[in-house]
């Protein structure tokens, strides 16, 4: 008998095209439906805060968010903070995982207070960390 | 000593006083009120005594009326009423006396009433007598009495045998009777008058008694009223005075609170000042320690350096042993300086752990090698046991070494015979993390529980005398403890006096994915590589210049010297120089500035001379500043001969701690990118790999273009952001040289470094980035061709 799978919607927001693909691939590798047979993963990725906010759905479960979103062509720039605000407003259940370089420890603390679930340093071990964080989050679903 | 009352106590006391006043006033007012109420109740209660006395008096009046009416009218009804009223009156009077026995005056009233009744009875009697003195009946009675007396007389028998009345006799009798009657009547009238007067007298007395009784009652009422008004008045006084007292207390309370608030404000201000002062002091302390460290390291450099040189030369036995002692002492001194600095850094929260991949078992072996010499001739063996699967972990190798070195050093210091064992065991490893249990067991002098409690405190050793016997600042263990805390590790110590100590440290490390760590062990210096080179030594300290000259000249290296940055640039312009050893802190122009200037020279043969900074300023941010200035290597003071030679050799070979920025002929491009990570990620998915390579080329080219644009606009904020963004990509490809450069660009932009410095960095970085893009393109071609 076929089980009713739970939809897990994951959104990746990273402006760097290369790193965005790397992250998406990480997530796809980790969210293997052979491993998580109860879940039906739906992974989307965006490069800008604007696109993310426009396409944001309130049933988003997990968001990997680069805090320093930068886009050369946009004059009136929305940032990772704006995305975080929208997510907290509209997606009650959404777990936000912040991804950034490690320099700003103070900011990390501030963001944790704002309700982010985890923080990932952009370093070579991102994959392991992304894996660990995702596995943790999926455990609770 | 009188202790000043605290604010809270003052408040409590005043509140207690107010509560007591309120309680006392309430009790007093209540008692007064209930008194007044009872008096009022008493006053308003009907006065039964006077009512009954009034009833008795009414009855008495009735009796009086009855008696007097009877006297006038001789109506039997009055007499009858009189008698019944008298009877009743007597009863009532007696009852009153019994009911109000306390009032002895009532007995007087009773006597008066009885007297009055007597008088009235006599008056009635007199009246009856008067009635009986009626003339006709008297006459008949007289005659009858005469007849009776004559019957017995012979004469009467002769002449009055037929009861004939003698006229004269009759007249005489009548006259007699009349006379008697008049006499009696007069007597009776007199008596009656006397009785009436007596009656009046008694009535007056009764009236008098009543009026006195009424006066007394009135007085009583007046007394009650005045008692009431007194009670009310006194209550009012008490209420007013207590209200005033409470008001005063409240005012005092308010004043205390206001004063407290004000003094709090001033305390706050004082505290603020103290805090600022303390912070200033802390900064000064830090500055002082940093300066002191630099100031001590610089002469120490000369001391250790020259000792090393002397030790290498021909010496006799005695001189050698003396030199060894000096060497040992300078090493100890350096340890102490490092201890003080470490503690200062830890305390100010500035000490950050590095995260690099390192081989932990090698660290343990290194430790064994470096500490064996400390055992000297003690009958102590040093054993090492290692039981690990994951040797390469991510962490701070220097700090774990420092922790273990401190503990091993202590174990060696306090163990005089037996053994010391350093063991490493891996506990519960998983895919990403492992737990390393370091255990140091010795058979030394051990500690008592009391000593154990204090041993990790700053500046404390097991005992004060221990310090004298064994030396040391007592900082080592405190630093060790704090370093373990910084690792989120745990520390357990078990010790028994005279039996030994066991220390266990558990630290969790992420497992590194790297298969092995390239060893940086110093290889024998390649003399050929160094021969005939010309090295410029830039240092304001003559000792240091001489020392470096001595080291380099031994290796047939030509040396030039300069005492500051300006001189250094002159030398660079005037001579052919292969490498510069540059001190950082110098007068007129420091090493960093001089390095920047040299990098900015137009002559391509001059602007790429490798530069190695030699400085006692060894903080991370100092090093990153040197790096930002475009230097190729760094040597910390104090240095050893081999450090200098090895570093020079490394730089000539193009492999050094910094990614080289110069374009020295001997340098190899080190901006190699590692596609392995990407390949692993793609998991043999060729299309994805191609796509990723394309993305990398496209994205990096875009970013490079953006960097150039922003540089032209001198928009440092955007440059910082772009550099930040690019780091992740190069981090993934393990191009750490570029990653470091990008960090330096970001940092320099954020601290508003002059644009020309940023330009040098950006240009340099973009060259390297372009190389990686070219490499990626080559890889792409290979993949597509393959």
């Amino acid at each position: 008998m076929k089980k009713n799978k739970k939809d897990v919607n994951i959104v990746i927001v990273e402006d760097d095209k290369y790193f965005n693909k790397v992250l998406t691939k990480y997530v796809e590798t980790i969210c293997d439906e052979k491993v998580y047979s109860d879940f039906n993963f739906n992974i989307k990725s965006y490069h800008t805060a604007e696109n993310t906010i426009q396409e944001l759905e309130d049933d988003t479960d997990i968001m990997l968010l680069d805090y320093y979103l930068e886009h050369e062509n946009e004059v009136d720039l929305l940032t990772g903070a704006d995305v975080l605000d929208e997510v907290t407003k509209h997606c009650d259940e959404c777990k936000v995982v912040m991804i950034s370089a490690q320099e700003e420890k103070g900011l990390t603390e501030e963001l944790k207070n704002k309700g982010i679930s985890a923080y990932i340093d952009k370093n070579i071990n991102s994959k392991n960390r992304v894996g660990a964080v995702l596995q943790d989050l999926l455990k609770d679903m | 000593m009188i202790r000043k009352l605290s604010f809270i106590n003052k408040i409590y006391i005043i509140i207690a006083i107010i509560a007591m006043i309120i309680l006392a006033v309430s009790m007093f007012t209540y008692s007064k009120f209930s008194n007044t109420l009872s008096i009022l109740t008493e006053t308003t209660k009907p006065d039964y005594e006077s009512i009954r006395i009034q009833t008795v008096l009414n009855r008495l009046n009735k009796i009086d009326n009855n008696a007097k009416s009877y006297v006038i009218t001789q109506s039997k009804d009055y007499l009858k009423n009189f008698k019944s009223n008298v009877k009743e009156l007597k009863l009532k009077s007696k009852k009153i006396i019994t009911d109000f026995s306390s009032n002895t005056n009532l007995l007087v009233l009773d006597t008066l009433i009885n007297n009055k009744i007597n008088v009235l009875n006599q008056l009635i009697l007199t009246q009856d007598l008067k009635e009986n003195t009626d003339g006709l009946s008297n006459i008949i009675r007289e005659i009858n009495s005469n007849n009776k007396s004559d019957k017995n007389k012979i004469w009467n028998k002769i002449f009055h045998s037929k009861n004939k009345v003698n006229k004269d006799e009759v007249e005489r009798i009548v006259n007699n009777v009349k006379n008697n009657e008049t006499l009696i009547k007069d007597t009776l009238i007199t008596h009656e008058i006397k009785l009436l007067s007596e009656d009046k007298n008694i009535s007056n007395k009764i009236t008098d008694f009543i009026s006195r009784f009424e006066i007394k009652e009135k007085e009583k009422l007046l007394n009650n009223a005045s008692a009431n008004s007194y009670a009310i008045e006194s209550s009012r006084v008490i209420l007013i005075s207590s209200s005033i007292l409470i008001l005063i207390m409240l005012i005092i309370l308010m004043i205390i609170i206001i004063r407290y608030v004000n003094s709090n404000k001033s305390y706050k201000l004082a505290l603020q000042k103290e805090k600022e002062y303390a912070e200033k002091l802390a900064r000064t302390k830090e500055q002082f320690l940093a300066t002191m460290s630099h100031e001590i390291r610089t002469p120490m450099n000369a001391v250790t350096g020259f000792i090393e040189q002397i030790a290498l030369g021909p010496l006799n036995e005695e001189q050698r042993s003396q030199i060894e002692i000096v060497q040992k002492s300078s090493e100890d001194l350096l340890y102490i300086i490092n201890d003080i600095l470490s503690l200062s850094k830890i305390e100010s929260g500035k000490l950050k752990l590095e995260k690099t991949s390192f081989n932990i078992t090698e660290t343990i072996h290194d430790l064994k090698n470096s500490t064996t010499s400390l055992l000297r001739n003690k009958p102590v063996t040093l054993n090492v046991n290692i039981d690990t699967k994951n040797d390469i972990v991510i962490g701070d190798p220097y700090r774990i070494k420092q922790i273990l070195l401190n503990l091993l050093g202590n174990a060696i210091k306090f163990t005089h015979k037996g053994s010391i064992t350093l063991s490493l065991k891996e506990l519960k490893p998983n895919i990403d993390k492992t737990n390393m249990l370091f255990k140091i067991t010795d058979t030394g002098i051990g500690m008592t529980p009391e000593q154990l409690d204090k041993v990790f405190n700053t500046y404390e050793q097991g005992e004060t005398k221990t310090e004298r016997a064994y030396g040391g600042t007592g900082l080592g263990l405190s630093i060790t403890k704090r370093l373990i805390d910084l690792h989120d590790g745990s520390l357990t110590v078990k010790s028994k006096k005279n039996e030994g100590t066991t220390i266990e440290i558990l630290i969790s490390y992420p497992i590194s994915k790297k298969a092995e760590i390239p060893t940086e062990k110093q290889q024998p210096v390649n003399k050929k590589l160094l021969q005939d080179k010309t090295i410029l030594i830039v240092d304001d300290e003559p000792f240091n210049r001489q020392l470096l000259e001595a080291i380099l000249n031994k290796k047939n290296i030509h040396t030039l010297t300069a005492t500051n940055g300006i001189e250094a640039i002159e030398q660079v312009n005037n001579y052919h120089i292969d490498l510069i050893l540059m001190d950082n802190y110098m007068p007129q122009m420091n090493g960093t500035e001089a390095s920047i200037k040299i990098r900015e020279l137009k002559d391509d043969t001059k602007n790429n001379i490798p530069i190695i900074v030699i400085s006692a300023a060894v903080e991370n941010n100092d090093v990153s500043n040197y790096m930002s200035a475009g230097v190729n290597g760094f040597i910390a003071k104090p240095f050893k001969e081999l450090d200098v030679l090895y570093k020079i050799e490394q730089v000539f070979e193009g492999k050094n701690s910094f990614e080289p920025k110069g374009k020295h002929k001997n340098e190899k491009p080190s901006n190699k990118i590692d596609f392995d990570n990407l390949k692993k990620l793609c998991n043999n998915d060729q299309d994805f790999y191609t796509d990723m390579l394309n993305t990398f080329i496209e994205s990096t080219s875009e970013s490079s273009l953006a960097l150039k644009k922003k540089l032209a606009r001198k928009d440092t904020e955007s440059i910082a952001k772009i550099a930040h963004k690019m780091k992740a990509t190069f981090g993934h490809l393990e191009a750490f040289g570029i990653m470091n450069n990008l960090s330096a660009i970001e940092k320099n932009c954020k601290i508003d470094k002059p644009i020309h410095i940023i330009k040098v960095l950006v240009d340099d970085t973009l060259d390297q980035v372009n190389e990686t893009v070219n490499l990626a393109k080559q890889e792409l071609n290979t993949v597509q061709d393959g």
Side-chain angles (χ1 to χ4, degrees):
Chain A
M1 204 177 105
K2 206 177 172 181
K3 275 186 197 171
N4 266 343
K5 287 188 175 188
K6 180 180 163 40
D7 281 332
V8 178
N9 298 318
I10 302 177
V11 170
I12 296 156
V13 190
E14 164 64 55
D15 58 345
D16 186 89
K17 286 177 191 162
Y18 177 85
F19 201 63
N20 187 309
K21 285 191 176 173
V22 171
L23 271 179
T24 312
K25 189 71 184 175
Y26 280 166
V27 175
E28 281 169 359
T29 316
I30 293 151
C31 298
D32 187 341
E33 288 185 19
K34 284 176 200 157
V35 180
Y36 294 100
S37 54
D38 293 344
F39 296 138
N40 188 21
F41 292 103
N42 179 18
I43 302 164
K44 287 179 186 166
S45 73
Y46 301 104
H47 292 93
T48 65
E50 278 77 2
N51 275 342
T52 315
I53 293 170
Q54 275 166 15
E55 305 289 323
L56 186 68
E57 284 173 15
D58 53 13
D59 58 352
T60 304
D61 297 298
I62 296 169
M63 178 181 278
L64 303 184
L65 175 64
D66 177 17
Y67 193 68
Y68 290 104
L69 287 173
E70 184 71 37
H71 202 277
E72 212 203 340
N73 302 326
E74 281 160 28
V75 186
D76 207 358
L77 202 73
L78 293 177
T79 64
D82 298 312
V83 177
L84 184 60
D85 282 347
E86 288 303 311
V87 172
T88 20
K89 259 188 245 167
H90 301 295
C91 316
D92 297 339
E93 301 294 319
C94 186
K95 307 267 193 297
V96 180
V97 179
M98 198 57 77
I99 297 178
S100 195
Q102 61 182 357
E103 284 88 348
E104 307 219 16
K105 286 274 157 65
L107 178 76
T108 319
E109 284 309 308
E110 192 190 315
L111 290 173
K112 277 194 176 158
N113 292 336
K114 272 192 174 179
I116 68 160
S117 306
Y119 172 82
I120 295 175
D121 274 353
K122 275 185 182 176
N123 60 35
I124 51 155
N125 291 304
S126 295
K127 187 186 175 184
N128 291 336
R129 179 88 173 111
V130 170
V133 168
L134 272 180
Q135 280 160 5
D136 259 6
L137 294 178
L138 290 172
K139 233 186 271 169
D140 298 335
M141 292 214 172
Chain B
M1 205 176 82
I2 299 169
R3 253 185 64 207
K4 218 176 162 186
L5 281 172
S6 74
F7 168 74
I8 296 294
N9 285 342
K10 279 181 193 167
I11 298 287
Y12 283 158
I13 289 171
I14 291 176
I15 289 172
I17 292 173
I18 292 175
M20 274 156 66
I21 293 172
I22 291 171
L23 191 71
V25 169
S26 314
M27 281 169 68
F28 177 82
T29 318
Y30 176 75
S31 82
K32 286 287 168 191
F33 174 73
S34 47
N35 267 351
T36 314
L37 202 67
S38 66
I39 291 167
L40 278 175
T41 318
E42 195 65 30
T43 316
T44 49
K45 210 164 63 181
D47 187 352
Y48 295 111
E49 192 179 7
S50 59
I51 289 169
R52 283 170 68 181
I53 289 171
Q54 202 55 52
T55 320
V56 168
L57 288 179
N58 285 343
R59 190 69 69 180
L60 193 66
N61 277 340
K62 270 186 187 170
I63 290 168
D64 191 51
N65 284 338
N66 286 337
K68 283 177 182 164
S69 299
Y70 173 72
V71 169
I72 294 163
T73 60
Q74 280 92 44
S75 163
K76 292 289 177 195
D77 290 340
Y78 287 122
L79 188 64
K80 198 179 162 191
N81 282 343
F82 171 79
K83 283 181 179 163
S84 69
N85 278 334
V86 165
K87 202 176 169 186
E88 208 167 311
L89 178 67
K90 281 191 173 170
L91 277 173
K92 282 199 172 174
S93 178
K94 264 189 193 152
K95 191 91 179 24
I96 288 177
I97 289 164
T98 331
D99 287 352
F100 302 100
S101 56
S102 58
N103 194 348
T104 47
N105 286 331
L106 291 176
L107 289 172
V108 179
L109 183 66
D110 186 55
T111 315
L112 287 173
I113 289 168
N114 282 335
N115 287 349
K116 172 122 181 158
I117 292 169
N118 274 342
V119 171
L120 288 176
N121 273 331
Q122 283 181 40
L123 200 64
I124 289 168
L125 201 64
T126 314
Q127 183 56 40
D128 284 349
L129 284 172
K130 263 169 79 184
E131 195 58 36
N132 289 341
T133 49
D134 183 30
L136 186 61
S137 52
N138 279 340
I139 291 167
I140 293 163
R141 217 169 27 241
E142 189 63 27
I143 293 168
N144 284 341
S145 68
N146 280 339
N147 283 342
K148 270 181 187 173
S149 57
D150 286 349
K151 268 179 190 175
N152 298 328
K153 289 172 182 178
I154 299 162
W155 187 82
N156 277 346
K157 284 176 183 177
I158 300 164
F159 291 100
H160 291 288
S161 55
K162 294 181 183 177
N163 292 335
K164 283 184 187 168
V165 177
N166 186 317
K167 193 185 168 186
D168 291 336
E169 188 67 20
V170 169
E171 272 179 4
R172 191 194 51 88
I173 290 169
V174 166
N175 282 336
N176 274 349
V177 168
K178 269 186 182 172
N179 287 339
N180 280 343
E181 201 174 305
T182 310
L183 196 70
I184 289 165
K185 269 191 178 170
D186 283 350
T187 316
L188 284 175
I189 284 167
T190 314
H191 187 65
E192 193 180 311
I193 288 165
K194 196 181 157 192
L195 283 175
L196 282 172
S197 137
E198 203 174 326
D199 175 54
K200 197 182 171 188
N201 204 8
I202 290 168
S203 292
N204 282 343
K205 278 184 183 170
I206 288 172
T207 313
D208 196 35
F209 176 83
I210 294 300
S211 51
R212 266 191 286 135
F213 179 77
E214 277 175 355
I215 285 165
K216 264 191 185 166
E217 282 300 303
K218 268 185 191 167
E219 271 174 2
K220 208 169 130 192
L221 271 177
L222 273 172
N223 281 344
N224 282 350
S226 86
N228 270 350
S229 69
Y230 173 75
I232 289 166
E233 187 60 27
S234 57
S235 299
R236 200 164 54 189
V237 169
I238 292 284
L239 272 177
I240 289 170
S241 50
S242 55
S243 302
I244 291 169
L245 208 61
I246 289 171
L247 195 71
I248 291 168
M249 288 292 169
L250 285 174
I251 289 169
I252 294 172
L253 196 69
M254 216 166 73
I255 290 169
I256 290 173
I257 291 171
I258 289 169
R259 277 182 59 185
Y260 179 73
V261 169
N262 283 339
S263 68
N264 250 11
K265 265 187 202 164
S266 54
Y267 284 148
K268 234 182 177 176
L269 277 176
L271 271 180
Q272 183 70 27
K273 272 188 185 170
E274 285 298 316
K275 191 181 162 240
E276 280 165 14
Y277 178 69
E279 281 170 354
K280 201 176 150 195
L281 211 63
R283 278 197 298 273
T284 315
K285 179 186 148 200
E286 228 170 82
Q287 187 69 41
F288 167 76
L289 283 170
T291 316
M292 193 187 76
S293 131
H294 180 260
E295 293 305 316
I296 296 173
R297 275 165 194 268
T298 306
M300 279 303 291
N301 190 39
V303 174
T304 52
F306 281 113
I307 291 167
E308 201 181 14
Q309 293 305 306
I310 294 166
L312 289 171
L315 292 172
N316 63 33
E317 268 314 297
E318 196 189 352
Q319 285 171 326
R320 190 161 300 284
S321 103
Q322 285 166 350
I323 285 294
E324 272 173 14
I325 293 168
V326 179
Q327 261 182 322
K328 173 77 188 51
S329 305
S330 14
E331 272 167 22
D332 286 349
L333 193 56
L334 276 175
Y335 269 123
I336 294 171
I337 295 167
N338 287 339
D339 271 1
I340 295 171
L341 279 175
S342 294
L343 189 70
S344 153
K345 263 200 218 164
I346 297 171
E347 277 184 344
S348 60
K350 282 195 172 168
L351 191 87
K352 301 272 185 305
L353 293 179
E354 272 185 33
K355 282 181 186 170
T356 73
S357 298
F358 72 103
N359 188 322
I360 202 153
T361 52
E362 266 180 27
T363 307
I364 300 286
H365 286 301
D366 282 353
L367 269 170
K368 190 191 172 186
N369 293 337
S370 58
T371 46
T372 308
S373 61
L374 297 174
L375 290 171
R376 298 205 172 94
N377 296 322
K378 281 188 185 180
V380 177
T381 51
L382 178 59
N383 310 312
V384 167
N385 294 325
I386 296 173
D387 176 14
T388 57
K389 278 183 188 166
N390 297 294
D391 292 342
I392 300 174
V393 294
I394 297 168
D396 191 329
Y398 174 70
R399 297 299 167 192
I400 188 64
K401 229 177 188 172
Q402 195 180 0
I403 292 169
L404 296 172
L405 199 63
N406 268 332
L407 296 172
L408 266 182
N410 264 4
I412 292 169
K413 205 192 275 184
F414 297 111
T415 307
H416 303 300
K417 59 178 181 183
S419 64
I420 298 166
T421 309
L422 167 61
S423 63
L424 172 63
K425 197 175 177 185
E426 194 175 359
L427 305 174
K428 299 180 206 162
N430 58 30
I431 303 165
D432 298 329
K433 269 193 162 182
T434 182
N435 298 303
M436 294 292 181
L437 178 73
F438 303 89
K439 193 169 171 184
I440 295 164
T441 314
D442 67 49
T443 54
I445 60 169
M447 283 177 282
T448 63
E450 294 77 36
Q451 288 172 328
L452 209 56
D453 283 345
K454 292 199 289 183
V455 78
F456 286 97
N457 292 348
T458 310
Y459 307 114
E460 296 237 23
Q461 289 194 334
E463 274 181 60
T464 319
K465 65 179 180 196
T466 313
E467 192 176 334
R468 287 198 290 274
Y470 295 94
T473 52
L475 290 175
L477 287 181
S478 166
I479 294 167
T480 306
K481 172 81 175 68
R482 290 172 196 222
L483 284 175
I484 295 167
D485 290 344
L486 213 59
H487 278 87
D488 287 330
S490 68
L491 168 81
T492 31
V493 187
K494 286 173 199 156
S495 187
K496 260 193 174 176
K497 190 86 186 164
N498 299 325
E499 283 185 22
T501 307
T502 301
I503 297 179
E504 286 183 350
I505 300 161
L506 187 67
I507 293 176
S508 161
Y509 284 108
I511 297 167
S512 174
K513 298 295 170 211
K514 289 189 177 177
E516 61 179 50
I517 304 292
T519 48
E520 288 205 7
K521 280 188 176 169
Q522 292 183 350
Q523 303 295 326
V525 177
N526 181 350
K527 284 183 184 171
K528 277 188 185 170
L529 191 69
L530 300 178
Q531 246 167 16
D532 297 326
K533 300 278 186 213
T534 306
I535 291 180
L536 172 65
I537 300 162
V538 191
D539 201 315
D540 57 327
E541 269 296 328
F543 297 127
N544 282 339
R545 288 201 304 271
Q546 283 174 27
L547 176 62
L548 286 168
E549 277 182 295
I551 293 172
L552 298 176
N553 290 342
K554 273 201 303 192
K555 303 284 170 197
N556 295 328
I557 298 169
H558 306 298
T559 51
L560 289 168
T561 56
T563 60
N564 61 49
I566 295 170
E567 276 181 33
I569 294 168
E570 275 173 24
Q571 299 279 51
V572 166
N573 280 326
N574 295 335
Y575 299 97
H576 167 78
I577 291 162
D578 294 305
L579 187 139
I580 304 168
L581 292 176
M582 180 90 80
D583 179 32
N584 189 39
Y585 288 103
M586 290 181 294
Q588 293 181 316
M589 186 188 281
N590 69 31
T592 317
E593 281 173 313
S595 305
I596 293 168
K597 296 260 182 217
I598 290 166
R599 292 281 175 259
E600 285 171 357
L601 291 175
K602 284 184 180 156
D603 186 345
D604 274 352
T605 59
K606 309 281 183 192
N607 66 14
N608 59 8
I609 300 172
I611 302 171
I612 296 171
V613 168
I614 301 184
S615 176
V618 293
E619 300 289 324
N620 285 344
N621 54 343
D622 296 319
V623 178
S624 101
N625 277 343
Y626 309 146
M627 207 169 87
S628 314
V631 308
N632 307 66
F634 167 72
I635 300 169
K637 277 184 187 174
F639 51 78
K640 291 187 173 176
E641 180 178 318
L642 222 55
D643 290 338
V644 178
L645 293 174
Y646 181 64
K647 184 62 78 177
I648 292 171
E649 193 189 41
Q650 266 193 320
V651 169
F652 280 146
E653 284 181 340
K655 47 175 186 184
N656 48 59
S657 52
F658 301 158
E659 290 303 315
K661 292 156 191 91
K663 296 160 191 159
H664 192 265
K665 57 187 175 195
N666 286 329
E667 282 177 37
K668 290 172 193 166
S670 67
N671 33 28
K672 147 183 173 287
I673 49 176
D674 184 356
F675 292 111
D676 286 351
N677 249 357
L678 188 57
K679 279 180 190 160
K680 268 187 225 159
L681 180 72
C682 298
N683 199 20
N684 293 330
D685 181 346
Q686 204 72 1
D687 290 342
F688 183 67
Y689 186 51
T690 317
D691 181 34
M692 285 306 284
L693 283 173
N694 273 324
T695 308
F696 170 73
I697 294 163
E698 188 191 332
S699 161
T700 311
S701 306
E702 267 177 22
S703 299
S704 302
L705 197 68
L707 263 184
K708 275 182 198 162
K709 272 188 196 169
K710 300 294 176 189
L711 188 66
R713 286 184 211 156
K714 297 178 183 173
D715 179 357
T716 49
E717 200 186 323
S718 297
I719 295 172
K721 284 181 182 168
I722 297 166
H724 180 91
K725 188 179 81 167
M726 288 169 80
K727 279 196 302 188
T729 302
F730 287 97
H732 184 249
L733 292 168
E734 300 199 355
F736 298 124
I738 295 173
M739 208 178 151
N740 287 341
N741 272 14
L742 290 166
S743 290
I745 292 171
E746 194 188 352
K747 194 181 164 195
N748 279 320
C749 287
K750 279 183 181 166
I751 57 171
D752 287 333
K753 273 275 174 89
I755 193 79
H756 69 269
I757 294 176
I758 293 164
K759 186 177 183 308
V760 174
L761 271 171
V762 171
D763 286 346
D764 194 17
T765 312
L766 283 180
D767 285 349
Q768 294 177 44
V769 168
N770 278 340
E771 280 179 43
T772 61
V773 171
N774 288 336
L775 282 172
K777 282 179 181 167
Q778 280 172 23
E779 176 75 12
L780 191 64
N781 286 336
T782 320
V783 173
Q784 280 168 347
D785 291 347

